Amino acid sequence: MKKWSALLFFLFVAVTSFGQVVADRSRMERERAAIQKEISEIQSQYTKVKGQRKETLGQLAILQKKLALQNQYINNISKEIKVVNDEIYLSTLEINRLQRQLDTLRQQYARSVTYAYKNRSNYDYLNFIFSASSFNDALKRVKYLKSYRGYRQQQVDEIVQTQHQIEDRKNLLLGKKNEKNAALANQTKQQQVLAEQKKETDVVANKLRSQESSLSKQLAEKRKRDQQLKGAIAAVVRREIEAARKRAEEEERRRVAAEKERLAKERAAKVAADKAAANKAAEARKNTGTAAATPAPAVEEEEPVVKATPSKPVKSYLDLNEKDVALNAGFANNRGKLPWPVDNGVVSIPFGTSKVGSLTFDNPGITIGTPSAGASVKAIFDGEVSSVANLGDGMTVMVRHGKYFTVYSNLSSATVSKGMAIKTGQVIGRSGPAEDGAGGQIDLLLMVESKNVNPEPWLR
């Protein structure tokens, strides 16, 4: 009993492990295909900027992105090798199990053959039948002998089938080993590619360090524009929140006034009903000749007080009305799926703090380089234009999506106006020239109310 329980447990573990291995393998293949596609796209983008006369921050950003993806690719291969090792281990266990099963079947069959050899006389076969005590007993003995022959044939079939299974498993194991060798070779190749990419990145970074003076001037201009942009954005966000607050307070005032009016009507109706009841009672007493009772003094009801304090604290004035709630939910649900604001662009300066040589700079959004100035810039989600401003070096369009704001800066022109409702993919302007003179660029910022966040994870 214990032997069969152990065997069933082993089979359950093997089947479960194999199913998990297949699922992991499928997921890793999809991940590797996605990484390869992204590396190909980035290489295409880098080819376009590689021939420029001087190295740019955009080139460095692309190369650094390629390095990160190449590391992901190598890690994916390492995971694949681990999965293949697990498959080899499970196949080896299965081959050992089948081999033990085959040995047992051969032993059982050998015992059957030995017994048949020792009792091979035809007279013994006939004597076994004719020594039956009755006809029915003879039929039973014939049936038993046929069953015994069938059992021996079944033993042969099981042995042959198990041999085939072992052979199939060995072929599968050989294929897995070849697959592992191919993965190891690919891993070595990709590590060589990574080493070459590191060299290329170092070359560009070193050349950029030699251009620190010009880069410093570019970054200083960008910091100045970023400060102006931050001030303008903060003012617009404050204005939108204040407008939403006033709308909420006005709606609350209207609600309180309506509630007061309803209660006043109910109180007037109650007073009229009480007066009519008193008149009716007085008339009844007059008709019956009953002495008039001294009327009770009228009780002046206090005017009901309607509280204007909301039942729950307001978390956000930009998340109160139905339209904003729908926009907020739609924007949040599309994280990682939002379209890029330009059809052909690459992040030249990432979000947050970056460093080249001794230069350190902080980007409030992402700077997207385009092959040339004048590229169409599109809204990444439905919304309403909150602001269109000229900050000196270029136009800026700010779009509100409920409590989310997207800002498109460094535009050479804008094709929308304040208050306009826009749709996803609608052209809102054209990209301006890049600070280093290499093509065009725009700055994309994402705000959650007044909080500045990285827009790149939101884009597909």
Side-chain angles (χ1 to χ4, degrees):
M1 185 65 182
K2 291 182 178 179
K3 181 179 178 181
W4 283 107
S5 299
L7 180 61
L8 289 173
F9 176 76
F10 172 80
L11 289 174
F12 173 76
V13 171
V15 171
T16 305
S17 301
F18 181 73
Q20 183 64 38
V21 164
V22 171
D24 290 345
R25 188 68 171 277
S26 178
R27 177 180 55 80
M28 282 189 297
E29 287 175 355
R30 291 195 301 270
E31 179 184 320
R32 187 162 60 250
I35 293 173
Q36 286 176 317
K37 181 181 178 183
E38 192 169 357
I39 288 176
S40 177
E41 290 174 351
I42 288 182
Q43 181 60 46
S44 175
Q45 293 167 349
Y46 182 66
T47 302
K48 294 176 182 177
V49 299
K50 188 176 180 181
Q52 294 172 356
R53 286 174 298 177
K54 62 179 182 178
E55 284 66 24
T56 64
L57 291 173
Q59 290 185 26
L60 183 61
I62 294 174
L63 289 172
Q64 289 172 339
K65 182 69 173 177
K66 277 177 64 181
L67 280 177
L69 287 170
Q70 189 67 20
N71 276 313
Q72 289 181 31
Y73 188 63
I74 291 172
N75 290 336
N76 183 280
I77 295 173
S78 298
K79 291 178 184 177
E80 180 190 6
I81 292 171
K82 183 179 181 303
V83 169
V84 173
N85 281 332
D86 291 342
E87 291 174 340
I88 289 173
Y89 174 72
L90 291 173
S91 294
T92 303
L93 289 180
E94 181 64 10
I95 289 172
N96 292 337
R97 185 189 69 82
L98 290 171
Q99 190 62 55
R100 289 193 298 271
Q101 179 179 320
L102 179 61
D103 293 341
T104 302
L105 290 172
R106 283 173 172 169
Q107 290 173 3
Q108 291 173 349
Y109 183 71
R111 285 195 293 268
S112 298
V113 170
T114 302
Y115 176 80
Y117 178 78
K118 291 180 179 179
N119 300 276
R120 63 188 180 280
S121 173
N122 289 333
Y123 293 106
D124 290 339
Y125 175 78
L126 295 175
N127 286 337
F128 179 69
I129 295 173
F130 289 128
S131 63
S133 59
S134 64
F135 181 73
N136 286 335
D137 186 24
L139 289 178
K140 288 180 180 178
R141 294 189 177 201
V142 171
K143 185 177 180 181
Y144 167 75
L145 291 172
K146 288 183 177 179
S147 298
Y148 183 71
R149 286 183 177 178
Y151 168 68
R152 287 180 59 187
Q153 183 60 46
Q154 182 183 351
Q155 285 181 310
V156 173
D157 293 341
E158 287 181 353
I159 289 172
V160 173
Q161 183 180 1
T162 305
Q163 287 174 333
H164 287 327
Q165 288 178 345
I166 291 174
E167 192 63 29
D168 291 341
R169 276 289 176 178
K170 285 183 177 179
N171 290 333
L172 179 63
L173 181 60
L174 180 61
K176 292 300 176 185
K177 288 180 178 178
N178 291 335
E179 196 173 331
K180 177 183 176 180
N181 292 333
L184 288 170
N186 188 24
Q187 185 182 50
T188 302
K189 177 182 176 183
Q190 296 305 324
Q191 286 172 341
Q192 292 172 352
V193 172
L194 179 65
E196 292 297 323
Q197 289 179 353
K198 285 181 178 178
K199 289 179 182 178
E200 189 175 15
T201 305
D202 290 341
V203 168
V204 173
N206 290 332
K207 289 184 177 179
L208 283 174
R209 291 190 190 99
S210 67
Q211 301 170 15
E212 282 192 8
S213 58
S214 61
L215 284 176
S216 178
K217 183 179 179 181
Q218 292 176 27
L219 293 174
E221 292 175 356
K222 187 176 187 324
R223 286 192 195 98
K224 180 180 177 182
R225 190 174 72 247
D226 287 344
Q227 289 300 322
Q228 292 177 332
L229 186 59
K230 286 179 182 178
I233 291 171
V236 173
V237 172
R238 284 196 301 268
R239 186 185 70 206
E240 292 285 353
I241 293 176
E242 180 64 17
R245 184 186 66 79
K246 288 181 178 179
R247 286 194 299 268
E249 290 177 351
E250 182 61 28
E251 289 176 4
E252 181 65 14
R253 279 194 292 271
R254 285 198 295 266
R255 184 191 70 79
V256 170
E259 184 68 11
K260 282 184 177 180
E261 184 179 358
R262 183 185 67 78
L263 292 174
K265 287 180 179 179
E266 287 181 357
R267 185 161 59 88
K270 185 175 183 300
V271 169
D274 291 344
K275 186 175 181 181
N279 291 336
K280 186 175 180 181
E283 187 67 25
R285 286 194 298 269
K286 182 178 178 181
N287 292 335
T288 57
T290 307
T294 303
V299 179
E300 184 69 24
E301 293 188 8
E302 293 183 359
E303 184 177 349
V305 177
V306 180
K307 293 184 178 181
T309 304
S311 57
K312 293 182 180 179
V314 177
K315 292 182 179 180
S316 170
Y317 286 105
L318 300 176
D319 198 7
L320 290 179
N321 64 62
E322 186 177 346
K323 181 181 177 182
D324 284 341
V325 169
L327 278 172
N328 292 335
F331 198 94
N333 291 336
N334 278 279
R335 179 183 171 92
K337 304 174 187 174
L338 297 173
W340 283 69
V342 291
D343 292 333
N344 189 6
V346 62
V347 176
S348 57
I349 305 178
F351 175 84
T353 303
S354 299
K355 188 174 182 180
V356 177
S358 61
L359 297 177
T360 301
F361 53 97
D362 186 70
N363 200 7
I366 57 173
T367 302
I368 303 175
T370 59
S372 60
S376 296
V377 179
K378 305 173 184 179
I380 65 173
F381 199 70
D382 299 350
E384 181 181 309
V385 178
S386 296
S387 171
V388 178
N390 190 336
L391 297 181
D393 293 336
M395 303 291 292
T396 296
V397 174
M398 188 169 178
V399 181
R400 184 165 87 88
H401 320 273
K403 67 179 180 181
Y404 298 93
F405 294 85
T406 51
V407 184
Y408 311 81
S409 181
N410 195 49
L411 304 180
S412 60
S413 62
T415 57
V416 293
S417 56
K418 181 182 176 183
M420 182 184 293
I422 59 175
K423 293 293 183 182
T424 304
Q426 181 176 335
V427 175
I428 59 175
R430 302 283 174 178
S431 65
E435 285 144 340
D436 56 13
Q441 74 176 41
I442 68 161
D443 291 314
L444 175 66
L445 284 76
L446 174 60
M447 314 285 295
V448 183
E449 291 194 9
S450 56
K451 182 182 178 183
N452 193 215
V453 297
N454 184 4
E456 195 166 359
W458 292 78
L459 304 176
R460 63 172 172 242

